[in-house]
Amino acid sequence: MMTSQNTQQQQRALLDNIPDLKDRDCRYLAVNTAYLEVLRMPEALVLGKRPDEIWPAEIAEVYLRADRAVLKSGRRRRYEETRADSSGLPRWFETIKSPIRDKAGRIIGTVGISRDISERKAAESELIKSRAQLRELSNYLQSVREAERARISRELHDELGQTLTALKMELGWLKERLPAEPTMLRTRVERLVQIVDQSVSDLQRIASDLRPMILDELGLASAIQWLTQNFSERCPLSIELSLDRTDVTYSKDVSTAAFRIVQEALTNIVRHSGASSARIVARHSADELQLEISDNGRGMDVTRSKREQLGLIGMSERAQHRCEHLRPGKPHSASWSPRRHNGAGSSG
């Protein structure tokens, strides 16, 4: 048989899972034990009061805003909040605030149900921190890789290039002193000269692919112009390039990131899009550089796995390294917009 004491215990157990009940004036009608422990106030001093009468202003504002929104809309609201527990440690709570209606359907108050999500928030914080560390590692590895590419490019150009040039000169000296007969010997020397010429051409191409000297010597605009011309000559792709300004200088990091993004985008277009033409637009707005790359190909398959989108991921990582964003377009465009181009300025 159910006794009055049992009924009261059940009511208290139910209420302990509900932080608060309020009327239409946002006054507390009931609060649970945990709520009172956080407030460090007896129940008698809480009931009949509004949040702004017992909570600090910033917390009270959150509660009142949620209560009034629910009372006005008649729909429940979900929000997250943080506050200190009885020991002073910060805790996170997820609260769902719902309207209370009478038999006629009129809203007569609100009820809040909260759950402690501190562990989840701590896990999310650790995940964000871990991702930030991985991104920093990725940025560092990219910087090291670019420095290594620049070093190898210089060595190829300076040392191996000089060696090939010297070899060509020696072959030329030898050719001038060869007798007219037998012709086979002169033919073989001429063939060696052609091989050296081709090796010099290949060396210049490889060195430029590693790190084009024009990027460091003449800047981003000239480097992009050289890159588009190079792609047009090597691939069946017509590229339209629009630069609103060519007199702006950038920091080395921004120049490298922008150049590599354009290079990767053009490579993807040639390899995957089946396009016959592409367009690159570089615009400046305030302290931003905006790059937009589009083509007339088949577009991007957004359903492909991440593994199949490594080029786009690489571009995104380069963009995020400079606090920028990359937006894949539909069906066949992408735009990149650095928030700031450090060290940028007009010449003259």
Side-chain angles (χ1 to χ4, degrees), residues 16-164:
D16 279 343
N17 288 298
I18 300 176
D20 66 84
L21 292 170
K22 297 192 188 82
D23 61 17
R24 282 195 60 85
D25 295 324
C26 301
R27 297 184 181 278
Y28 288 100
L29 299 176
V31 291
N32 66 7
T33 303
Y35 211 76
L36 296 174
E37 289 176 354
V38 174
L39 279 168
R40 299 182 184 180
M41 296 174 64
E43 186 178 50
L45 295 181
V46 176
L47 300 183
K49 300 291 182 60
R50 294 192 310 273
D52 56 341
E53 295 178 294
I54 58 176
W55 286 102
E58 63 274 10
I59 297 178
E61 176 61 27
V62 173
Y63 294 165
L64 287 172
R65 186 165 59 245
D67 289 335
R68 289 164 180 164
V70 171
L71 290 170
K72 181 178 180 180
S73 67
R75 296 191 297 269
R76 69 178 185 175
R77 283 178 70 90
R78 174 193 170 279
Y79 61 92
E80 294 178 358
E81 58 173 311
T82 180
R83 61 174 184 261
D85 60 16
S86 57
S87 61
L89 296 175
R91 306 292 295 180
W92 277 92
F93 298 90
E94 180 185 61
T95 300
I96 298 177
K97 188 79 66 170
S98 304
I100 301 175
R101 301 177 185 272
D102 60 14
K103 292 182 179 181
R106 293 187 297 268
I107 298 175
I108 60 175
T110 61
V111 58
I113 300 177
S114 294
R115 64 187 182 101
D116 192 326
I117 57 171
S118 300
E119 291 186 3
R120 190 191 80 188
K121 282 292 185 179
E124 289 177 355
S125 178
E126 286 298 319
L127 181 59
I128 292 173
K129 186 184 300 183
S130 176
R131 286 179 175 174
Q133 290 173 343
L134 288 174
R135 183 162 287 118
E136 285 299 317
L137 175 60
S138 174
N139 295 338
Y140 170 73
L141 292 176
Q142 282 188 2
S143 298
V144 170
R145 182 172 60 185
E146 285 293 340
E148 185 67 7
R149 289 165 69 112
R151 183 188 67 80
I152 295 174
S153 177
R154 285 195 302 270
E155 290 186 0
L156 287 174
H157 184 273
D158 296 341
E159 298 181 14
L160 189 55
Q162 290 179 7
T163 300
L164 290 174

Side-chain angles (χ1 to χ4, degrees), residues 159-173:
E159 298 181 14
L160 189 55
Q162 290 179 7
T163 300
L164 290 174
T165 300
L167 180 58
K168 181 179 179 180
M169 292 174 63
E170 291 298 319
L171 287 172
W173 180 90

Side-chain angles (χ1 to χ4, degrees), residues 325-343:
H325 52 272
L326 181 77
R327 299 188 300 273
K330 296 181 180 180
H332 42 250
S333 68
S335 63
W336 180 74
S337 177
R339 292 176 185 166
R340 303 189 67 86
H341 42 261
N342 293 345

Side-chain angles (χ1 to χ4, degrees), residues 142-343:
Q142 282 188 2
S143 298
V144 170
R145 182 172 60 185
E146 285 293 340
E148 185 67 7
R149 289 165 69 112
R151 183 188 67 80
I152 295 174
S153 177
R154 285 195 302 270
E155 290 186 0
L156 287 174
H157 184 273
D158 296 341
E159 298 181 14
L160 189 55
Q162 290 179 7
T163 300
L164 290 174
T165 300
L167 180 58
K168 181 179 179 180
M169 292 174 63
E170 291 298 319
L171 287 172
W173 180 90
L174 179 60
K175 179 181 175 181
E176 290 176 356
R177 286 159 177 78
L178 284 176
E181 298 292 340
T183 59
M184 182 179 67
L185 187 59
R186 179 176 289 273
T187 300
R188 297 299 293 268
V189 172
E190 290 176 349
R191 176 59 181 157
L192 287 175
V193 172
Q194 293 175 1
I195 292 174
V196 172
D197 286 338
Q198 183 61 48
S199 297
V200 171
S201 177
D202 291 341
L203 175 64
Q204 292 174 341
R205 175 180 55 80
I206 293 171
S208 294
D209 287 343
L210 284 170
R211 176 77 183 186
M213 295 180 64
I214 192 173
L215 180 61
D216 298 318
E217 295 177 356
L218 299 181
L220 178 61
S222 296
I224 292 179
Q225 290 173 335
W226 167 83
L227 181 65
T228 54
Q229 181 180 354
N230 188 264
F231 263 89
S232 296
E233 292 174 352
R234 291 162 53 183
C235 310
L237 183 68
S238 173
I239 304 175
E240 177 187 352
L241 177 62
S242 174
L243 301 172
D244 67 342
R245 293 183 63 181
T246 58
D247 62 338
V248 183
T249 57
Y250 307 89
S251 70
K252 185 175 181 179
D253 286 346
V254 168
S255 294
T256 299
F259 179 83
R260 293 302 184 193
I261 285 174
V262 174
Q263 186 180 47
E264 183 66 30
L266 290 177
T267 300
N268 286 344
I269 290 172
V270 171
R271 288 180 178 175
H272 307 297
S273 73
S276 60
S277 65
R279 187 168 187 261
I280 302 172
V281 178
R283 292 185 294 265
H284 292 81
S285 175
D287 59 352
E288 288 189 354
L289 164 65
Q290 298 176 344
L291 284 173
E292 184 174 339
I293 306 167
S294 59
D295 64 78
N296 66 347
R298 64 176 61 95
M300 182 185 302
D301 183 2
V302 296
T303 63
R304 289 188 304 169
S305 66
K306 291 294 185 181
R307 183 179 295 275
E308 295 176 304
Q309 299 181 32
L310 292 179
L312 184 59
I313 292 174
M315 287 189 281
S316 296
E317 285 297 319
R318 288 186 182 276
Q320 291 179 13
H321 177 33
R322 298 300 308 166
C323 298
E324 298 127 3
H325 52 272
L326 181 77
R327 299 188 300 273
K330 296 181 180 180
H332 42 250
S333 68
S335 63
W336 180 74
S337 177
R339 292 176 185 166
R340 303 189 67 86
H341 42 261
N342 293 345

